[in-house]
Every structure is written in C-alpha cells, then in structure tokens.
Amino acid sequence: MSKLALFGGEKAIKTNNPDMFKWPIITSEDEEAVLQVLRDGKMSNYDISMKFEKEFAEWIGVKYALTFNNGTSSLQAAMYGAGVRRGDEIICPSITYWASCTQAYSLGATVVFANVLEDTLCIDPDDIEAKITPRTKAIVVVHYLAHPCDMDRIMEIAQKHNIKVIEDLSHAQGGMYKGRRLGTIGHVCGMSMMTGKSFATGEGGMLITNDREIYEHAMVLGHYERYKKENIECEDLKPFAGLPFGGYKYRMHQLSSAVGRVQLKYYDERCAEIRKAMNYFYDLLEGVPGIKTNRVDESTGSNMAGFYAARAIYKPEELGGLSVTRFCEAVRAEGFLDCTPGCNAALHTHSLFQTCDVYNDGKPTRIANSPEDIRKFDDNLQHAETIGSKHFQVPWFKKFIPSEIEEYANAFKKVAENYKELLEGDPGDPATIGGWHFFKHSEKKDKN
Ligand SMILES: *Cc1c(COP(=O)(O)O)cnc(C)c1O
C-alpha cells in the first residue's frame, strides 16, 4: 500500500463531511417544541415531562419511567429505590464513568469494584461473584460503549444471592439483548440523556422499572412535588407524603423533556442508520491484523443501539508489539483526528476511591461505613488498570455513506499493513491511558 501519511505520504481520508458525525440531529421540530415551552412559561412544570415518561415507558416496554435532571441523579435514585442504604455495598465495574457509582457515598454506602472483560469492556460476571459479601445490596452493570452485558449470567447471580441489579443505560439506550430491550432486564435502570449521549435531550436523565416499590422510593428522593398521598402505595412512605424526603430536587427541565419527546420519535430509525454505517465499517476491517471489531452478532437478537463513542479492540501482538499510542498517531496523520487510545480510566485508582474523605469521617469515604477495608478487593484489577492500551477510538458514523466510510476503513488498514515502519521510533504507551472525562462526539483537533 501507499506511503504512510505520517512519513509524508498522501492521506487516506480526503473527505470532511461534518454531517457524518453531527449529533444529536436537531430539526425545526425540536426547535418548535422548545420554543413552545418558553412561550408557555412552562420550564419548571412537569406536565411535558410526564408525557415524555409515558411515551418512553411504552417505547422501551416498562411500567414506570421517571424523568431526572441528569443521569447522575437518576442512578442515585435507582440505588435508593433498590434499597441501598448506610453500610451497604454496591458492585460496579472499574471501567465506567464515575456517575455509575459515586452517588453511593451520599447514601452512606460504598463501592466494590469489579473487573471488566477484555473483548466487551463489560463487567466480568465471575468477578461479581468473587466480590459479593453479606453487605452487597446491588450490582450496577454498564452496557459499556453500547455493548450489552452478559445479563443472563448477571441475573442468575443476583437471584442466587438476593441482590438487586441496576442497569446503567447511559451508553446504550435502545439497545437489545437477546430480543429484549436493555434497561428492562435488571430490577431498575438509570441513564444519562445529556447532549453527549446517544439519546440526547440536553441535560436530563431517566429511571425505568417494573417494580412499584422501587419506583416510589426513587421518586421520593428528589420529586417531592409528585410525592403525594394519592400517588403512593408503600406504607413506609405514606406518612411523609409531600415532604422533601431525600432533601434533593431532581426535576427535569422541560426544555429537555420537550426535546426528548421529539428525539424519541426518530431515535430507533437514526440508530438503525448508525448501525448500518458502523457494521459496514467493521465489515471492512474484519481480518485486518491488530484490529478486533467491538460489536455483537445481531442474529442473536442483540445489538449495539447507537454505537455510543465507538471504540475497537487493539491486538498489539499481531503488529509486532506496536504500541497503541504509535498506532493512533499514524491513523491521525491519515486524517482521522479523533483516533486516541483508551477509554475511561480505572475508577478504583482514583484518589476519590482511595484516600478522599468527603464528609470528614476521619477516614476515606470509601470505607467510612465499612466494618472492613473493602479496598482490598481492588487487588485483582490490574487488567482494568492497563485496559486503556487495548482500545482505540474509531469514527462514530451517524450516516451510511459507503464511499466516505471506506476512506476511514482504508486509513486503519493502511496503518496496520505498514506497521513495521512504525516500530522504529515507537515511544511505547504511557503508564495510564484514558481519563475521567466524557466522551465527545465530533471530530476535533488532535488533543495529544
Ligand atoms: C454520562 C454518564 C453518566 C452520568 O450522566 P449525567 O447525565 O452526566 O449525570 C452515568 N453513567 C455513565 C456510564 C455515563 O456515561
């Protein structure tokens, strides 16, 4: 193949079509919906949000949906709804965004981290089992980068140990697992709907469940205006109706719920186009050394929803040990400026989970309410600590335009085929790759 662009050759990618990556897709219908809320002065009401909840629940197939001001609060409410209280433990994968688990601190609970599987980046069910203690109240599973977790195994483990399963659907709204919608398989599910996510409303979150008790307890934490006697069946909650029980206010802004209602109408169709584009791209890369595609076999009834923040798996052993850092540098030179290694950094390594004393307990918050030092459970997470060197960002196409997708696939192929030229001058990988930030959508300037 032709000379690598890194060494002065012609770039493999010549197109620069901003529509290819633009997300969310906003039309005059979204704009009109927002303007209507403003004109009616209904920014703080919840009538539109309740319509959104009803439509969302019908779409995904659950009894109850509850809007939130963001994904973080929806997941905190999911934990509270699932019964997570002082002294309890939740098990969460170490590779995720902090908002999958850190809210447990404010409930007086703590986090035990589990490993993730190399080929799916999802929580390792064996490690869940290894980390269950008498204090484990819930498992948070993240369908990471839209890949469905092994829900059959996870539900079996949860049932055996009488533990609740909280799905964090922030990366995978609309995705399927063996013919079922993700988010409807566990006991409760929370998700982000902020602008960077697949399902984008602006700032927003949603909780879904089929369990009335979980729903009501999730509601009282931050929706005191809706916590009325006539809405409540749980005896323990009835005496406190109308009170700001959890002390929080988590209502969704109606500019967001108005956008959400419009986005929902087109969401499945837009995700289907993304999948068509991403599967075409990955088909072109099948068999290319060094690259393993990160997707599921759709004939099983599973899928990758909107391929949130798409990343492929890197196999350096197939490229003479070439570092992913060097590999990505060469791909960027070919014209895909977003090609960076890694994903979220391992949470358990962060000072917030090791030393930080958030509430002045005189000891790290992570063990403030624990009878033993659960940080010892971090000992087998070396895999999570080095996982950043085994993944790299691929284009997250929003449109199926074969000729343009082929240019991007050719860039990766060209680099893989010419890997030997890159071995010399390979600086290797830094000790840690990845960070604590959100994934971003569009092409931008090289940040390295
Ligand atoms: C974005 C994200 C969240 C948090 O959502 P916000 O809307 O930003 O509060 C939670 N979990 C995961 C996995 C996320 O990616």
Side-chain angles (χ1 to χ4, degrees):
M1 247 197 187
S2 53
K3 194 173 171 188
L4 288 170
L6 190 65
F7 302 132
E10 206 181 327
K11 288 181 193 228
I13 301 162
K14 297 183 185 71
T15 55
N16 185 14
N17 174 4
D19 281 349
M20 202 55 167
F21 300 103
K22 193 166 166 35
W23 197 262
I25 296 171
I26 297 294
T27 69
S28 55
E29 197 177 343
D30 301 87
E31 291 166 5
E32 264 316 307
V34 167
L35 286 173
Q36 201 56 52
V37 176
L38 291 173
R39 287 174 187 140
D40 294 345
K42 283 190 165 183
M43 289 75 84
S44 283
N45 297 39
Y46 50 82
D47 56 327
I48 300 164
S49 296
M50 286 177 80
K51 284 184 189 154
F52 182 33
E53 288 167 1
K54 187 165 175 285
E55 290 157 2
F56 196 89
E58 276 167 16
W59 168 70
I60 206 159
V62 291
K63 284 194 195 143
Y64 310 108
L66 194 57
T67 42
F68 281 83
N69 56 346
N70 54 47
T72 306
S73 57
S74 77
L75 285 156
Q76 189 200 22
M79 290 171 201
Y80 188 75
V84 176
R85 302 286 186 273
R86 191 168 308 286
D88 290 340
E89 291 165 11
I90 61 168
I91 297 174
C92 178
S94 181
I95 299 296
T96 183
Y97 191 61
W98 63 262
S100 295
C101 60
T102 314
Q103 307 87 309
Y105 281 1
S106 59
L107 300 174
T110 191
V111 190
V112 170
F113 288 106
N115 234 327
V116 295
L117 298 165
E118 183 169 327
D119 283 358
T120 67
L121 291 177
C122 289
I123 193 164
D124 177 355
D126 288 336
D127 205 35
I128 293 176
E129 283 220 276
K131 288 177 176 172
I132 289 173
T133 76
R135 297 173 300 278
T136 310
K137 193 48 81 61
I139 310 164
V140 177
V141 303
V142 185
H143 306 294
Y144 196 75
L145 302 181
H147 199 295
C149 294
D150 184 351
M151 292 308 289
D152 285 344
R153 281 262 344 257
I154 290 163
M155 295 312 292
E156 199 183 292
I157 293 166
Q159 198 168 16
K160 186 168 133 198
H161 296 275
N162 194 24
I163 295 165
K164 294 281 193 285
V165 173
I166 300 170
E167 291 183 74
D168 180 347
L169 197 62
S170 302
H171 293 190
Q173 302 93 339
M176 305 289 288
Y177 174 77
K178 299 185 181 175
R180 300 167 71 186
R181 284 274 192 196
L182 291 173
T184 68
I185 302 167
H187 300 89
V188 58
C189 164
M191 74 197 80
S192 174
M193 293 179 161
M194 56 86 73
T195 312
K197 300 294 155 74
S198 275
F199 196 105
T201 66
E203 289 298 313
M206 186 76 87
L207 176 143
I208 54 173
T209 182
N210 283 310
D211 186 314
R212 181 82 204 174
E213 202 180 323
I214 291 177
Y215 171 70
E216 289 187 7
H217 284 82
M219 182 192 288
V220 303
L221 199 70
H223 287 84
Y224 52 85
E225 273 201 59
R226 292 169 63 174
Y227 178 20
K228 296 176 181 153
K229 260 204 185 74
E230 61 270 27
N231 293 340
I232 294 294
E233 290 171 15
C234 292
E235 291 302 331
D236 61 321
L237 297 177
K238 277 184 181 165
F240 309 104
L243 301 179
F245 196 78
Y248 298 112
K249 181 187 171 194
Y250 286 159
R251 192 186 310 158
M252 186 185 251
H253 198 303
Q254 292 218 117
L255 296 182
S256 290
S257 45
V259 172
R261 292 185 71 204
V262 179
Q263 289 292 314
L264 182 61
K265 290 202 318 204
Y266 305 98
Y267 186 66
D268 279 332
E269 166 190 323
R270 289 171 182 167
C271 284
E273 173 144 10
I274 292 175
R275 286 201 296 282
K276 198 168 164 190
M278 292 305 301
N279 279 317
Y280 184 70
F281 171 72
Y282 275 157
D283 285 346
L284 294 170
L285 293 180
E286 273 316 335
V288 174
I291 298 172
K292 189 176 175 298
T293 60
N294 181 17
R295 57 176 167 171
V296 293
D297 175 2
E298 292 189 12
S299 71
T300 62
S302 299
N303 74 35
M304 296 276 283
F307 270 91
Y308 175 72
R311 274 156 174 76
I313 296 153
Y314 187 61
K315 299 274 177 193
E317 64 278 11
E318 295 175 7
L319 299 179
L322 182 71
S323 74
V324 72
T325 301
R326 183 70 161 161
F327 176 84
C328 289
E329 185 189 8
V331 176
R332 289 197 297 273
E334 297 296 335
F336 174 47
L337 302 182
D338 268 351
C339 193
T340 50
C343 44
N344 288 117
L347 286 178
H348 71 274
T349 63
H350 199 287
S351 59
L352 185 57
F353 299 103
Q354 290 300 328
T355 52
C356 197
D357 179 0
V358 181
Y359 298 115
N360 284 358
D361 285 301
K363 48 185 165 174
T365 306
R366 182 132 172 253
I367 55 167
N369 296 301
S370 304
E372 60 174 335
D373 191 343
I374 50 127
R375 291 176 298 180
K376 71 176 187 223
F377 285 120
D378 299 346
D379 285 352
N380 75 331
L381 299 178
Q382 297 86 355
H383 169 62
E385 289 162 25
T386 55
I387 205 159
S389 62
K390 292 175 190 136
H391 301 89
F392 58 90
Q393 196 169 343
V394 295
W396 183 11
F397 299 113
K398 310 300 192 307
K399 296 274 176 219
F400 178 62
I401 306 173
S403 61
E404 294 187 18
I405 294 170
E406 284 157 20
E407 290 191 6
Y408 285 87
N410 284 337
F412 285 92
K413 264 195 222 173
K414 185 179 165 191
V415 170
E417 283 170 10
N418 290 288
Y419 78 91
K420 282 190 182 137
E421 293 173 32
L422 293 163
L423 290 171
E424 197 183 324
D426 180 357
D429 292 324
T432 48
I433 298 180
W436 318 104
H437 44 74
F438 280 126
F439 300 129
K440 301 263 167 53
H441 274 281
S442 50
E443 265 195 307
K444 58 196 173 299
K445 280 256 179 302
D446 179 3
K447 57 178 180 272
N448 282 0

